[in-house]
Amino acid sequence: MERLVFRPFFLGRAVRTNLRNSLSAMSTSASPTAGPVESSIRQKLTVLLKPTDLTITNDSEKHRHHAPMREQGGGSGETHFSIVAVSNAFKEKSLMQRHRMIYKALAEELQEGLHALSLETRTPEETSLSTS
């Protein structure tokens, strides 16, 4: 029997766009295993940015070997996050201004053990250009 392999890059542009939009709509809800830090990040950024897309990925497990994390006994398990935010709030703002908005909103979490953020910030128009 022939084995089928799913390769999304073979899909047509319209199918890829619909798939991406469906996944984006799902990504704004909290994951079932979201901890208190991730939940707080999601709540604060949703209020601040009113994003059309917000994807938050807990990357802490990848960094458990870093010295600061070992000192904390591995941390809370919520020390490193990747965030992709698409929002009209970023219009006419530089990359630095966008990142400052997010760091300011998450100041409390950063004081309490959030160690690192990887940020990707775009407007809906910038997202449309990158998918064309």
Side-chain angles (χ1 to χ4, degrees), residues 50-94:
K50 297 173 182 45
T52 57
D53 183 26
L54 179 61
T55 304
I56 301 173
T57 306
N58 186 342
D59 296 327
S60 303
E61 182 66 21
K62 297 176 190 175
H63 302 278
R64 69 183 181 282
H65 63 282
H66 292 180
M69 300 307 101
R70 285 195 313 265
E71 290 171 14
Q72 296 178 25
S76 64
E78 293 190 287
T79 55
H80 293 70
F81 288 90
S82 295
I83 299 172
V84 178
V86 179
S87 172
N88 285 317
F90 296 136
K91 282 187 179 177
E92 300 181 13
K93 291 193 173 33
S94 69

Side-chain angles (χ1 to χ4, degrees), residues 2-55:
E2 185 177 327
R3 193 170 139 209
L4 297 176
V5 178
F6 179 67
R7 293 194 174 117
F9 52 88
F10 286 134
L11 297 174
R13 181 177 289 167
V15 174
R16 283 195 313 267
T17 301
N18 287 337
L19 180 61
R20 186 180 307 109
N21 290 342
S22 296
L23 293 173
S24 293
M26 294 186 318
S27 68
T28 57
S29 60
S31 66
T33 58
V37 176
E38 181 177 343
S39 297
S40 178
I41 291 170
R42 184 173 309 282
Q43 186 271 331
K44 288 181 176 183
L45 295 183
T46 299
V47 170
L48 173 71
L49 304 173
K50 297 173 182 45
T52 57
D53 183 26
L54 179 61
T55 304

